Amino acid sequence: MIRSAFAVLLLVLTTSFVTHAQVENTYNLLPFPAQFSGQDGQFTLTAATRVVALPKDAGQQAAAQLLANQLKTASGMGITVVAMSPAVAKGKHIVFQMHKGGRCGPEGYIVTVKPERVTVEAETPKGYYYAVQTLLQLLPPAAFSPAPVQGVTWTMPACQILDRPRYPYRGLMLDVGRHFMPVSAVKKFIDLLARHKMNTFHWHLTDDQGWRIEIKKYPKLTQIGSTRPETMVGHYGENYPFIYDGKPHGGFYTHEQIKDIVRYASARYVTIIPEIELPGHALAAITAYPELSCEPQKPYQVGKIWGVYSDVFCPTEKTFTFLQDVLTEVMMLFPGKYIHIGGDECPKDAWKKSEFCQNLMKQLKLKNEEELQSYFIRRMDKFVTSKGRAIIGWDEILEGGLAPNATVMSWRGTEGGIEAAKQKHNVVMTPGAFCYLDKYQGEPTQEPLAIGGFLPIEKVYSYEPTPSELTPEQQKYILGVQGNLWTEYIKTPEQVEYMTYPRAIALAEIGWMPAGPRNFEDFAVRLKNHLKRLDYLGVNYSKRLLDVRASTQFNNDGQLQVRLEKSDSDSKVYYTTNGREPNTSSTEYITPITLNKTTTLRAITTAGATLNETFVIHRAKGKSYTSTLGKGADPDGRKLTDGKVAQGPKSEMEWVNSAGKDLEVTIDLGEVRSVTKVSANFQKRVPYRVFPPTSVEIALSRDGTDFKDAIAQPVNVPIEGPWAVVPVVADFKTAKARYVRLKAKNVGMTPADHPKAGQSTTLAIDEVVVE
């Protein structure tokens, strides 16, 4: 019987009577195979086991040697690679052989595990390599150990696997422009993605904050462009004015180091796509060679704050010669098909002010600066194509017209990918909402500093890369999926691993498994066991998979209830509501917890996760309201009365934004009630143009029309200093009302000395508490 990937949970549950040692390697495969059939029995690895491969088949030999070496290292047994012989044919061995049935394809394989033999079939060296990754996962987690492990029963559960990927492109991107990563870290990044059957490493090598690749023809790129004088402290939105650390940050990769990394990747069947940003994100290059800008006389400095700079390449012949020279050296180092040319986030300010650019637009009969960018990209596309390669760029390269041979990387949602596919261009899907691994994966106050947002692993796993809006013919242009790790707030290799894993494993499975329903619970069970393998590999992964999270709901009586949710189905949750630390003798969570007063809920799981959150019970809890907020800011119309209060300015999840205008909220309490106090918090994140209000008025009404008892107060908070929560309180003592109205005055435009001077500002508010 062939089992689909999502049916494996049943198999795991029905084999729960076996020993713990056996459960550890009961088909906990990641990514799960395309076709799988569980069988009775198991193959046992012993000192007599050999790995059998054809001596003249280099692909077999390489994979067989890789497997034998790791088995020998982990088990301590003298396992070696041998050729088939009459004596070997009688033994219990692992046998590699060429598949001739045409079922595997370029990356697929067949694995058959029986008590008397393990057989591995493939049509390509890459297929054999991926088969080895599966064989190692069929063994206990100790198979990944870098040193011998004692007391392990080295068994593989019997099964039949026919496996091949859904998409030909399965990748991860690492940004080394913002923070340089050593060669050893880059190699480990490649090794880990290859172990999860991903085949593409997108290497983001240049940006405003650093140029990381040696270009021999232009030595100043690394002499000057690779080092910024200092780096902003904390988050971009944290301090106003910005604070800097006073420490230079630099680093770059030499030709020899790059060649070494390319060889390392090639041995793992990983293609490297180098990215050289253009025409934007070019400040580091312009600092080294100002003549490449539209204002060569200006002083330039490698970027020391995060964000987008308006200093971009000027589309002169000198610039094109420079870029062609750079890409020529890049193509000498990287043998893969694709050269990534960026193309994203290119402000047009410099081009609009440039007499040269405006004359060029007239000469070329271009309507606007977007078409000028398209001209720029087309020039690079023509050059790269002439060298037998192809460009790939972020979805902004669609603007002004897509270059003939370009592949689009869709990051600003799925729209760019859909449009490119409709134009019959290849697409890699990497939308930020699902694939940007620099976002928080847990409550921000309990996590290392990150760029923002919230992307838990279950949301990553829910992503479907092929848009349903496309016809079957158009869907063929979707090459695959990629996760991206931008490193503004990621300074070390350990942080890289923490943000990447295990979320990248969810992406690996999305890119590999056939189309169809996916079961996150099943994935989580397999992943929890897989984490033991990551322990042996020394990966500093996040344990947020084991988290317990709280959400609120209201029952038919209007009482606030707290639901505790977790992905780890094996663990139990225990909680307290009296302020005490919970333990396994505390109340076990079974059903939603009803709260009748403001309560701090503390919880633990048997997997080691904790939760500590306060829920505010007040007269407006769960009540409906009208507001000037857009639906995008508050889709369900309940965030301001859901009982959850933002845990600080670092946390974004409970804040509701009112962009570019004053805010008005009117809450209906359902009946006339006594109101003694109304309070709310506002957020201050000045660099992001989130300002506290200049004043707040809170008024009460019995009928929703005639508002009396208004309390107006100015909000005098200096914009300088760190981000903050700004409280506003109106004390009514003994008033009665059914309706509570809050009006907050927007500050207007940003001041002249702001990094984004003259732009509109935003108000951010959380729970409106009525007592």
Side-chain angles (χ1 to χ4, degrees):
M1 178 182 68
I2 300 297
R3 292 180 185 268
S4 58
F6 56 84
V8 73
L9 179 62
L10 177 63
L11 179 63
V12 172
L13 293 176
T14 56
T15 56
S16 59
F17 61 88
V18 300
T19 66
H20 176 70
Q22 288 173 309
V23 169
E24 284 193 323
N25 62 319
T26 304
Y27 314 125
N28 291 309
L29 302 175
L30 289 161
F32 201 77
Q35 293 183 10
F36 171 86
S37 174
Q39 309 287 339
D40 293 331
Q42 58 191 18
F43 175 86
T44 301
L45 196 72
T46 69
T49 302
R50 295 294 177 261
V51 180
V52 183
L54 288 173
K56 294 183 179 180
D57 188 321
Q60 280 190 24
Q61 282 289 318
Q65 198 63 60
L66 176 67
L67 177 63
N69 288 347
Q70 183 56 38
L71 295 180
K72 183 177 181 180
T73 297
S75 70
M77 294 185 283
I79 297 171
T80 59
V81 177
V82 299
M84 182 59 76
S85 68
V88 169
K90 296 176 183 178
K92 294 184 177 182
H93 303 301
I94 301 171
V95 180
F96 283 72
Q97 59 191 41
M98 175 64 73
H99 177 70
K100 298 179 180 179
R103 294 189 294 163
C104 296
E107 296 185 287
Y109 61 90
I110 297 172
V111 164
T112 305
V113 179
K114 296 182 178 180
E116 65 274 13
R117 173 165 294 187
V118 175
T119 304
V120 179
E121 301 176 60
E123 299 172 31
T124 66
K126 186 183 285 190
Y128 290 123
Y129 179 82
Y130 288 151
V132 168
Q133 309 314 312
T134 296
L135 290 174
L136 290 172
Q137 289 189 12
L138 286 169
L139 288 160
F144 289 79
S145 174
V149 181
Q150 303 300 318
V152 176
T153 303
W154 298 98
T155 61
M156 293 184 200
C159 58
Q160 176 74 38
I161 294 171
L162 170 57
D163 202 10
R164 57 189 175 208
R166 177 184 181 188
Y167 295 109
Y169 186 111
R170 306 173 306 281
L172 286 179
M173 186 279 291
L174 177 63
D175 163 26
V176 295
R178 276 50 178 264
H179 280 103
F180 178 77
M181 296 294 157
V183 169
S184 59
V186 174
K187 286 183 173 180
K188 188 174 182 182
F189 193 85
I190 292 168
D191 184 67
L192 288 172
L193 71 88
R195 285 180 182 274
H196 296 94
K197 301 186 178 75
M198 301 178 96
N199 61 6
T200 306
F201 171 44
H202 172 181
W203 202 359
H204 186 84
L205 286 163
T206 72
D207 218 299
D208 295 306
Q209 295 83 8
W211 184 281
R212 305 292 178 217
I213 176 172
E214 178 187 27
I215 302 296
K216 291 187 181 293
K217 192 165 186 177
Y218 298 97
K220 290 184 192 176
L221 288 171
T222 47
Q223 292 170 355
I224 297 173
S226 69
T227 303
R228 58 179 177 264
E230 56 187 354
T231 305
M232 67 185 308
V233 172
H235 198 279
Y236 181 92
E238 187 170 347
N239 298 296
Y240 181 76
F242 296 129
I243 298 173
Y244 302 96
D245 62 8
K247 302 173 184 177
H249 178 86
F252 65 92
Y253 306 98
T254 66
H255 277 205
E256 291 309 309
Q257 288 173 322
I258 290 170
K259 290 175 183 177
D260 178 44
I261 290 171
V262 169
R263 285 191 296 268
Y264 188 89
S266 179
R268 288 153 181 78
Y269 303 97
V270 172
T271 298
I272 300 180
I273 298 179
E275 181 177 0
I276 306 297
E277 279 272 19
L278 60 92
H281 287 287
L283 181 55
I286 288 171
T287 302
Y289 295 97
E291 62 270 25
L292 303 175
S293 73
C294 291
E295 297 180 86
Q297 72 283 359
K298 263 181 61 174
Y300 293 98
Q301 186 181 63
V302 178
K304 59 183 185 178
I305 65 172
W306 314 129
V308 178
Y309 289 81
S310 60
D311 302 303
V312 302
F313 286 127
C314 198
T316 63
E317 290 306 313
K318 180 175 286 188
T319 296
F320 288 122
T321 298
F322 164 82
L323 289 171
Q324 288 172 5
D325 290 342
V326 167
L327 293 183
T328 297
E329 282 197 35
V330 168
M331 286 185 279
M332 289 170 54
L333 295 168
F334 296 95
K337 173 184 176 181
Y338 288 113
I339 302 296
H340 203 300
I341 49 80
D344 63 313
E345 298 177 327
C346 179
K348 309 301 189 293
D349 310 60
W351 292 355
K352 289 178 180 178
K353 293 187 296 183
S354 165
E355 183 179 351
F356 170 83
C357 290
Q358 295 305 307
N359 288 337
L360 180 63
M361 288 169 61
K362 291 176 184 176
Q363 177 188 334
L364 298 173
K365 298 181 180 179
L366 304 177
K367 297 176 184 177
N368 50 42
E369 285 74 19
E370 283 68 32
E371 289 193 2
L372 181 58
Q373 174 162 335
S374 177
Y375 161 75
F376 200 122
I377 300 297
R378 287 171 185 267
R379 284 281 302 260
M380 303 316 302
D381 176 54
K382 184 177 180 181
F383 173 74
V384 172
T385 300
S386 73
K387 302 296 182 182
R389 307 292 185 88
I391 68 165
I392 187 168
W394 303 106
D395 56 43
E396 285 95 331
I397 66 174
L398 281 158
E399 298 167 5
L402 193 54
N405 303 303
T407 294
V408 172
M409 199 165 266
S410 187
W411 74 278
R412 296 178 301 173
T414 60
E415 294 80 7
I418 292 169
E419 179 58 32
K422 287 181 177 179
Q423 295 183 32
K424 299 183 178 180
H425 282 259
N426 288 333
V427 176
V428 175
M429 299 302 290
T430 180
F434 297 94
C435 300
Y436 271 42
L437 305 181
D438 52 339
K439 295 182 179 181
Y440 287 109
Q441 51 197 319
E443 164 55 45
T445 56
Q446 299 170 22
E447 284 283 278
L449 186 65
I451 197 164
F454 180 54
L455 183 57
I457 190 169
E458 58 266 33
K459 184 174 180 179
V460 178
Y461 194 73
S462 72
Y463 178 54
E464 168 50 50
T466 298
S468 59
E469 296 90 333
L470 298 176
T471 66
E473 184 61 31
Q474 292 166 343
Q475 289 178 355
K476 295 176 182 177
Y477 292 99
I478 305 299
L479 296 180
V481 63
Q482 175 175 289
N484 298 326
L485 188 67
W486 303 100
T487 60
E488 288 94 336
Y489 304 103
I490 301 172
K491 300 179 181 181
T492 67
E494 291 75 23
Q495 287 177 289
V496 166
E497 293 172 15
Y498 183 86
M499 298 301 284
T500 307
Y501 290 95
R503 290 184 292 184
I505 302 172
L507 283 171
E509 182 147 302
I510 290 167
W512 187 275
M513 279 177 55
R518 290 192 295 270
N519 185 318
F520 180 75
E521 239 182 74
D522 165 36
F523 171 78
V525 169
R526 289 180 283 120
L527 180 58
K528 185 178 178 183
N529 283 280
H530 187 71
L531 297 180
K532 300 168 189 174
R533 300 170 187 143
L534 298 185
D535 287 331
Y536 279 112
L537 293 171
V539 180
N540 183 45
Y541 58 86
S542 168
K543 296 180 177 61
R544 291 302 174 190
L545 171 73
L546 308 176
D547 264 1
V548 56
R549 301 192 189 110
S551 62
T552 59
Q553 63 185 34
F554 295 91
N555 63 18
N556 293 333
D557 297 325
Q559 294 174 302
L560 185 143
Q561 294 183 317
V562 179
R563 293 175 58 90
L564 298 182
E565 299 163 333
K566 58 185 178 64
S567 301
D568 176 22
S569 58
D570 294 340
S571 64
K572 294 183 178 181
V573 180
Y574 298 91
Y575 70 92
T576 64
T577 57
N578 58 6
R580 294 180 180 175
E581 290 292 333
N583 55 46
T584 52
S585 298
S586 304
T587 305
E588 182 180 355
Y589 176 80
I590 304 294
T591 59
I593 305 161
T594 301
L595 301 180
N596 297 309
K597 62 180 181 178
T598 296
T599 302
T600 296
L601 178 67
R602 298 186 178 188
I604 61 166
T605 73
T606 50
T610 62
L611 179 139
N612 186 336
E613 194 166 339
T614 298
F615 299 88
V616 180
I617 307 300
H618 56 96
R619 290 184 172 89
K621 71 179 188 312
K623 301 301 182 182
S624 62
Y625 53 87
T626 59
S627 75
T628 55
L629 294 165
K631 283 200 171 182
D634 187 16
D636 300 323
R638 65 183 297 268
K639 288 195 75 171
L640 299 183
T641 59
D642 66 357
K644 298 188 73 172
V645 178
Q647 297 189 35
K650 183 180 178 183
S651 177
E652 297 179 9
M653 286 180 274
E654 297 305 321
W655 295 103
V656 179
N657 293 332
S658 174
K661 59 184 179 182
D662 298 338
L663 171 66
E664 182 172 327
V665 178
T666 302
I667 302 173
D668 182 357
L669 299 179
E671 61 183 357
V672 175
R673 307 184 63 178
S674 65
V675 175
T676 58
K677 184 187 295 184
V678 179
S679 60
N681 290 330
F682 291 87
Q683 190 183 47
K684 172 189 163 187
R685 286 161 58 109
V686 173
Y688 277 135
R689 298 182 288 126
V690 178
F691 283 66
T694 57
S695 63
V696 173
E697 178 194 274
I698 298 174
L700 307 179
S701 170
R702 292 176 180 243
D703 59 9
T705 302
D706 184 17
F707 281 86
K708 299 179 179 178
D709 299 317
I711 295 179
Q713 54 184 289
V715 180
N716 297 315
V717 177
I719 64 171
E720 295 81 14
W723 55 14
V725 173
V726 178
V728 173
V729 180
D731 192 346
F732 291 96
K733 295 188 169 41
T734 58
K736 288 186 177 294
R738 173 175 174 174
Y739 297 91
V740 178
R741 186 182 69 192
L742 179 149
K743 289 184 175 181
K745 187 72 175 174
N746 184 286
V747 74
M749 299 297 179
T750 52
D753 58 351
H754 192 275
K756 298 176 181 177
Q759 296 187 22
S760 62
T761 59
T762 293
L763 290 168
I765 185 173
D766 75 344
E767 190 84 356
V768 179
V769 177
V770 180
E771 300 176 50

